[in-house]
Amino acid sequence: MLGKRALYLLIWLCIIIGTNPVEAGLRDIHPRPQQMGLLSLEPIRFSGTPYLIIPDDLTPAEELIRDEALRLIQQRIGYTVPVIGWSEYNDHSPSIWLGTLSRFPALANALQSSGQSGFGTTSHPEEYQLIVQEDRILLGGGEERSLRWGLMSLAQLMHEMMGQIFVDRAFIRDWPDFTKRVATVNTALRLPYQTDWANLVTDLSYSARMNEIEWNHSDAGLWTAGSDNLSRSITYASKVKNLGMALSVSVEQTGKNVTQKFWQEGVPINEMLMRVTDTAFVPVFNGYDIAVPNGNLESWSNDRPTSWSMFRDDLFRYVSRDQSTSHSGSSSGKFAGFTSSTTTDVALRQQFPIGSNHLLKIRFWYKTSGYTGQLRCDLLGPTSPFNRYDNRLLVFNTPSTRDWSLVEFTFCSFNANQVLLLVGPKSPTAGTIWLDDITIETAELQDMMRRDDTPLNVYTNRDRMLLTEGYDYRVVETYSTIYQQYIRQPRIDRILGGRIGVGDTVIVNWSCAVNYQGGRNTVCFSRLEPLLEYQERIRHVDSLIHPDGFKIHINEVSYAGYDQACVQSNLTPAQLVGRYCRQMYQIIQARRPGAPVRIYGDAFDIFVNDPRAMPVTYSPWNIGALHELPEPMEIMAMDEYTRSLDSSIVYFTINRHPSVVSVMLWDPFSRFVNAVQAALRNPSCGGTIFFMWPGDCDDELSWKIRGLGDLSWNIGPYIIHNPVPVTGRPDSLVITAEMWSDTFYTSQPPSVSTPTLRYRLLPNGVWTTLTMNRVGTDQYSAVIHSINIGVTAVEYHMSVTDHRGRTTTAPAEAPAHTYLCTFPGNAGGGSRGGEQIPFNRNMVFGLPQIEWIPDTEADWYEIRRMDPNNQYPQAKTVIARQSPTCPRFLFTDSATNMDLIQVWAIRREKIEENTDRFAKRP
Ligand SMILES: [Ca+2]
């Protein structure tokens, strides 16, 4: 039974192979390789168990690679393969050779001898090279990490069927377009679900060949975080390192969590009018004389409330005057007529003066009947969006049916004289809601800063005499918790015998630690204490986790430059932020010299469009911030917060900062495509980083991370070219390639254009260009004619451009690299034959040049370079060919080590057979 099934499967496999040239295997590889093709249309069937051949005396990093190889191969073919160290290798077959080129010279030599362009040395970070030969798989790379990516590709080429292993006979030379492919893990590990989520994001990102985890770990470096949390953190950090990914860590969220209350910035509250009672000072109800025009909704004209506007004029159809229901006076505003398709914003809005530096309380009344939806009250800066702040925003689900109810909350006017107030239904779908009596009045004292730089001054109202604390009045905390230099619920008491009496009014100037955006704090960037704690936390996190780099987690900069410590520094708010971050950078560098540091772009990007950055007085508010930063710092160009991603990147570039483009994972994928293209346009941009928080887009994590990995590795277009097999010298040669581009989940239809072949006939032909013709789906072809008797080989390369305007060449570095179709009996360039000849060296324009005496019998010359680690008598790497009429060569790199250079005169008839053989080193 089993035998029949096996036979059936094998027949089926042969049909698949026979009818569909097995490129499917290559097309399935994600991310898509830079250079790829098949050496044979039939996969190799390995007879017997393959051996994994690795260098001797493995380093810890190499041990991880070995284990990863065993894991991936086991996952793919169902069993573990035996491992053989190089010194024990004795022609074991079939075999998989795995190692970095520097640690495995025989592997490097075998790759170089393969005859494939560019193989045997690496020229890109994370580059790997993979060739599946008859009885041997070669997988080498420049560094350990690249071997992981190569193993993932190899696994894609492997198939197991009835105990036999089939491997597509492919060659791949691959590296990522970006050196930075960063996944953000935005969570502490307090709870099991957070740990699960961090592991999931990490596994998905690793599979998508991202090479760095940025862990914004809000508990990092806190002794108070707890031992479970600590052990989870260490375990997680080890996991990231064992996956060969870089780990960068941030230890706090400046501007969000201020662990010590007195670090907050003191926003000055000026000219607050208070009345002295026998128990305490109380605010005069409307001491600032602010009135909300038509806040009682008594005045109507054409069935619209005077003074109020709406987002769009037609939205007034939801609003009407109700003279039968009111909280005060004779009318209220009634909102009704909602359906499931009602727009979300049905709020009344108006802009009016409120005066700067006031602490205010907004109050309004609402009533509902069968209402489904939310109620919103939003206080914004006066002009949108660049001079706007989300000062205070309140959104809540109302009870469905409720009689008149009061809503009140406190906000600060900061330095804005005007406010844009929005109040009304949000996302309503049914029922009725009424509003009435919208007022703004002086707020109670709260969150008072009591530092030297945030003075409290009390004056008499009548003659503005400065009163004395401790003699005329005292300030006490009425809240149960006592904070240092901060009073949460202050009360000012009259002192008997002082200069003020009950019934007097006083003017109070004080500083408030303002919450905004529904609870964020402002940080005083002139205080030393936050930096001291930062230093402490960096020390702890470095000692416990020892990350590869750091992130300064300063986002949505909540900064005003109000308190005296800030003002007296003579720096602009932007410069203060920059200086503060520079100090954080210096703290990191003092601990870990040279460690890379990344930072959010919001506070440093003059093209920022972040309406939450508060309270800005001009736009862009952050001019000067970037210039305070040390130049090595990497800045995030944030797709979501900039008006122009290209402009942001260029701004960072001209200020000598590298950057990465940052995308929010829950955004539409088309934004990622645009962001990656912007990054590609700007060479100083190192790559991509994505972020989200647990629960944001969990359903989409898998495909979006994979897609972003593909995009960041190689956006395309793609070329699969199977080198032409020849058995004799043909009269003409057909060059074909599979060329295509990817939609990347966008609606833009992919297409390719100008598929082009460039070729010359060796030894003496000139370069010729042909347009390749479409001969099938994604298949292109061109014919080289007139291959005459003297032609020994055809040298060629291809290119194609896609609908994004991106051009890809094959080989990947054409024309520096080319394909060579050498005719049997006429071993061509790249061969090992010929005769080494001496040369003289001199300098031309500061560059080394070599010259030699012409060899009248040479068909061409080859300039070759020896591997410094692997100096065979015959150098293996052909770096250039020269025609017989040009017995000289100018190097473009002044640092070229001339001791490694050889010149060979190639004589066709004396060339040895170009073989794939290699010798085990003695
Ligand atoms: Ca009213």
Side-chain angles (χ1 to χ4, degrees):
M1 189 65 195
L2 190 67
K4 270 188 181 175
R5 193 165 157 231
L7 186 63
Y8 168 77
L9 284 169
L10 281 171
I11 291 168
W12 172 81
L13 183 72
C14 293
I15 290 168
I16 295 291
I17 292 162
T19 55
N20 180 2
V22 219
E23 286 147 18
L26 283 172
R27 279 189 77 139
D28 281 350
I29 292 174
H30 289 265
R32 299 247 162 69
Q34 306 278 1
Q35 181 175 325
M36 56 180 158
L38 293 174
L39 297 167
S40 157
L41 293 187
E42 299 200 1
I44 290 299
R45 179 164 63 93
F46 278 142
S47 305
T49 300
Y51 297 88
L52 184 64
I53 315 297
I54 55 176
D56 291 317
D57 304 322
L58 295 185
T59 65
E62 287 170 335
E63 286 175 355
L64 290 172
I65 298 298
R66 174 200 60 199
D67 296 347
E68 181 67 352
L70 294 176
R71 184 184 74 85
L72 281 169
I73 295 169
Q74 204 269 347
Q75 195 176 60
R76 193 67 181 170
I77 64 176
Y79 58 88
T80 305
V81 298
V83 180
I84 306 284
W86 177 244
S87 60
E88 304 297 317
Y89 174 70
N90 187 20
D91 289 334
H92 294 77
S93 180
S95 56
I96 303 171
W97 295 28
L98 175 70
T100 58
L101 301 186
S102 59
R103 285 273 293 141
F104 201 160
L107 170 60
N109 184 32
L111 283 165
Q112 194 156 301
S113 304
S114 69
Q116 287 302 318
S117 178
F119 281 66
T121 53
T122 59
S123 48
H124 300 83
E126 298 179 68
E127 177 174 341
Y128 71 88
Q129 300 176 353
L130 171 64
I131 298 186
V132 181
Q133 298 179 325
E134 292 286 348
D135 54 357
R136 193 174 65 175
I137 294 170
L138 305 174
L139 173 51
E143 57 203 279
E144 281 86 10
R145 183 179 288 156
S146 43
L147 300 178
R148 294 173 179 273
W149 315 141
L151 282 164
M152 291 179 185
S153 294
L154 173 59
Q156 302 276 336
L157 299 175
M158 297 179 96
H159 316 275
E160 189 275 344
M161 195 168 285
M162 309 314 291
Q164 294 284 339
I165 300 169
F166 296 85
V167 186
D168 295 330
R169 274 221 58 194
F171 67 93
I172 295 175
R173 184 162 165 261
D174 195 17
W175 57 85
D177 282 343
F178 293 127
T179 54
K180 302 251 176 182
R181 302 177 311 282
V182 189
T184 302
V185 169
N186 268 328
T187 185
L189 302 182
R190 289 171 208 159
L191 303 167
Y193 91 88
Q194 292 173 319
T195 310
D196 291 347
W197 185 82
N199 283 322
L200 175 67
V201 171
T202 305
D203 290 339
L204 291 171
S205 301
Y206 175 65
S207 297
R209 302 191 201 182
M210 293 183 182
N211 60 1
E212 181 179 338
I213 294 290
E214 177 186 296
W215 185 16
N216 294 314
H217 179 15
S218 43
D219 288 341
L222 277 184
W223 288 122
T224 52
S227 60
D228 283 358
N229 194 333
L230 186 66
S231 73
R232 272 195 288 267
S233 296
I234 292 172
T235 304
Y236 172 69
S238 306
K239 174 204 178 89
V240 173
K241 292 182 178 190
N242 287 344
L243 290 174
M245 301 171 89
L247 177 65
S248 47
V249 174
S250 80
V251 304
E252 68 168 349
Q253 294 168 278
T254 308
K256 189 168 184 184
N257 297 329
V258 179
T259 46
Q260 296 295 325
K261 292 288 187 185
F262 76 96
W263 296 353
Q264 291 190 52
E265 186 173 45
V267 175
I269 307 300
N270 291 338
E271 305 288 308
M272 185 169 175
L273 192 64
M274 303 190 84
R275 174 165 287 106
V276 180
T277 73
D278 52 5
T279 51
F281 294 7
V282 294
V284 173
F285 169 70
N286 207 351
Y288 296 124
D289 285 332
I290 298 159
V292 179
N294 195 23
N296 58 11
L297 296 164
E298 295 295 308
S299 171
W300 293 72
S301 170
N302 295 326
D303 215 25
R304 293 182 179 188
T306 57
S307 302
W308 295 97
S309 66
M310 296 189 83
F311 175 54
R312 286 197 321 265
D313 212 47
D314 63 293
L315 296 173
F316 274 113
R317 71 180 184 274
Y318 295 109
V319 185
S320 62
R321 181 180 197 177
D322 192 334
Q323 291 181 274
S324 60
T325 301
S326 66
H327 178 260
S328 72
S330 62
S331 67
S332 69
K334 176 183 175 182
F335 298 74
F338 306 128
T339 66
S340 56
S341 60
T342 306
T343 179
T344 59
D345 178 5
V346 198
L348 293 176
R349 55 176 67 193
Q350 67 168 306
Q351 186 176 322
F352 53 91
I354 53 170
S356 59
N357 300 111
H358 295 164
L359 192 68
L360 300 165
K361 186 195 289 181
I362 183 162
R363 294 159 56 97
F364 61 92
W365 294 79
Y366 79 93
K367 169 185 160 92
T368 54
S369 175
Y371 177 68
T372 306
Q374 296 177 310
L375 183 55
R376 163 197 186 189
C377 180
D378 202 356
L379 294 139
L380 303 174
T383 56
S384 178
F386 302 120
N387 198 21
R388 174 188 139 180
Y389 59 94
D390 228 358
N391 185 330
R392 281 304 297 272
L393 168 65
L394 182 76
V395 176
F396 66 97
N397 293 309
T398 68
S400 178
T401 298
R402 191 170 200 183
D403 204 359
W404 286 107
S405 305
L406 176 65
V407 177
E408 58 179 16
F409 62 93
T410 302
F411 70 100
C412 181
S413 62
F414 297 104
N415 50 4
N417 282 310
Q418 301 265 325
V419 70
L420 179 65
L421 167 65
L422 292 83
V423 58
K426 179 177 169 60
S427 308
T429 53
T432 307
I433 182 166
W434 292 264
L435 289 182
D436 205 354
D437 291 331
I438 302 155
T439 61
I440 292 179
E441 63 194 58
T442 309
E444 307 282 330
L445 295 170
Q446 64 177 49
D447 302 316
M448 181 185 283
M449 301 304 310
R450 298 302 326 263
R451 298 189 311 245
D452 290 346
D453 61 315
T454 57
L456 166 72
N457 290 319
V458 180
Y459 304 91
T460 59
N461 187 28
R462 196 173 51 248
D463 52 8
R464 207 172 176 93
M465 179 173 66
L466 181 64
L467 298 168
T468 307
E469 185 169 354
Y471 173 70
D472 299 307
Y473 64 92
R474 64 168 173 264
V475 183
V476 295
E477 168 71 279
T478 65
Y479 190 70
S480 58
T481 305
I482 304 300
Y483 297 99
Q484 193 187 0
Q485 298 178 49
Y486 167 92
I487 303 178
R488 175 156 173 188
Q489 288 179 358
R491 191 185 69 219
I492 307 181
D493 291 343
R494 180 178 76 101
I495 295 180
L496 216 58
R499 286 171 287 178
I500 43 177
V502 172
D504 286 352
T505 51
V506 292
I507 293 164
V508 183
N509 290 349
W510 58 290
S511 287
C512 182
V514 171
N515 286 331
Y516 77 109
Q517 283 187 24
R520 287 171 195 270
N521 306 125
T522 57
V523 185
C524 178
F525 287 159
S526 290
R527 296 210 68 79
L528 190 59
E529 291 88 345
L531 290 168
L532 291 175
E533 184 183 288
Y534 188 73
Q535 186 171 35
E536 189 79 353
R537 291 180 68 174
I538 288 290
R539 236 157 31 100
H540 296 168
V541 84
D542 185 47
S543 156
L544 290 168
I545 293 176
H546 200 73
D548 302 289
F550 294 84
K551 165 76 177 296
I552 293 181
H553 197 153
I554 179 163
N555 59 340
E556 291 114 24
V557 172
S558 42
Y559 179 70
Y562 279 118
D563 68 35
Q564 287 190 12
C566 287
V567 171
Q568 286 171 358
S569 69
N570 279 327
L571 297 176
T572 65
Q575 289 171 321
L576 269 171
V577 173
R579 190 186 68 172
Y580 187 78
C581 294
R582 185 179 77 219
Q583 288 170 312
M584 294 167 98
Y585 176 85
Q586 286 164 346
I587 285 169
I588 293 166
Q589 295 300 313
R591 174 81 197 184
R592 287 281 302 285
V597 180
R598 176 181 304 124
I599 195 163
Y600 282 108
D602 310 30
F604 305 96
D605 181 1
I606 58 171
F607 297 94
V608 73
N609 176 21
D610 183 356
R612 296 170 305 168
M614 60 60 71
V616 289
T617 51
Y618 52 89
S619 175
W621 73 274
N622 51 15
I623 289 174
L626 187 62
H627 305 96
E628 293 291 323
L629 293 185
E631 278 161 24
M633 282 181 80
E634 180 179 287
I635 323 274
M636 289 162 65
M638 305 180 72
D639 175 51
E640 197 64 21
Y641 297 127
T642 176
R643 285 174 284 150
S644 161
L645 201 51
D646 281 284
S647 301
S648 295
I649 299 170
V650 168
Y651 177 64
F652 299 144
T653 304
I654 60 176
N655 287 290
R656 296 182 295 276
H657 286 278
S659 59
V660 286
V661 292
S662 164
V663 297
M664 300 204 303
L665 203 69
W666 62 88
D667 269 342
F669 206 89
S670 57
R671 292 191 73 128
F672 306 172
V673 177
N674 291 336
V676 166
Q677 288 180 272
L680 286 167
R681 279 190 289 270
N682 295 279
S684 72
C685 186
T688 59
I689 178 170
F690 73 81
F691 67 91
M692 75 292 176
W693 285 265
D696 277 339
C697 48
D698 288 354
D699 294 345
E700 299 176 316
L701 280 186
S702 182
W703 72 266
K704 277 195 163 172
I705 291 176
R706 176 178 141 133
L708 189 57
D710 288 356
L711 201 52
S712 304
W713 186 285
N714 182 2
I715 195 173
Y718 312 106
I719 302 177
I720 295 175
H721 172 62
N722 310 329
V724 189
V726 287
T727 53
R729 197 185 56 75
D731 294 333
S732 65
L733 203 58
V734 181
I735 308 284
T736 60
E738 186 174 354
M739 299 171 161
W740 79 103
S741 192
D742 201 317
T743 63
F744 284 114
Y745 311 103
T746 64
S747 55
Q748 196 178 16
S751 64
V752 294
S753 59
T754 56
T756 303
L757 173 72
R758 293 261 295 155
Y759 75 93
R760 64 174 173 179
L761 305 176
L762 294 179
N764 295 317
V766 295
W767 283 103
T768 305
T769 302
L770 291 177
T771 296
M772 300 179 78
N773 299 308
R774 186 175 181 277
V775 293
T777 304
D778 299 339
Q779 301 288 332
Y780 297 85
S781 166
V783 184
I784 298 170
H785 294 287
S786 308
I787 300 176
N788 298 317
I789 293 295
V791 174
T792 57
V794 176
E795 184 180 10
Y796 63 96
H797 55 90
M798 284 162 279
S799 67
V800 70
T801 303
D802 72 1
H803 59 295
R804 298 185 182 94
R806 301 270 312 165
T807 295
T808 292
T809 61
E813 289 149 310
H817 290 176
T818 54
Y819 286 113
L820 199 63
C821 177
T822 305
F823 303 141
N826 290 323
S831 75
R832 309 289 161 250
E835 184 180 328
Q836 191 176 359
I837 54 176
F839 58 85
N840 295 317
R841 46 181 108 166
N842 52 44
M843 297 296 284
V844 176
F845 303 123
L847 293 170
Q849 178 182 260
I850 55 174
E851 291 180 296
W852 53 91
I853 297 167
D855 180 336
T856 52
E857 288 178 29
D859 290 297
W860 68 88
Y861 302 107
E862 288 182 354
I863 294 91
R864 300 181 183 173
R865 188 184 61 229
M866 282 187 280
D867 181 345
N869 300 315
N870 194 5
Q871 296 189 19
Y872 291 87
Q874 295 188 12
K876 303 290 183 185
T877 304
V878 178
I879 58 176
R881 292 188 196 92
Q882 294 291 63
S883 74
T885 57
C886 184
R888 70 189 68 83
F889 182 72
L890 182 68
F891 291 84
T892 53
D893 183 357
S894 61
T896 304
N897 181 353
M898 305 305 285
D899 293 332
L900 299 177
I901 298 300
Q902 297 177 352
V903 176
W904 289 74
I906 307 299
R907 267 164 279 175
R908 211 174 290 131
E909 64 272 22
K910 291 190 176 179
I911 291 170
E912 297 162 12
E913 185 70 15
N914 177 13
T915 67
D916 184 16
R917 293 294 150 239
F918 60 94
K920 185 175 173 179
R921 296 189 71 178

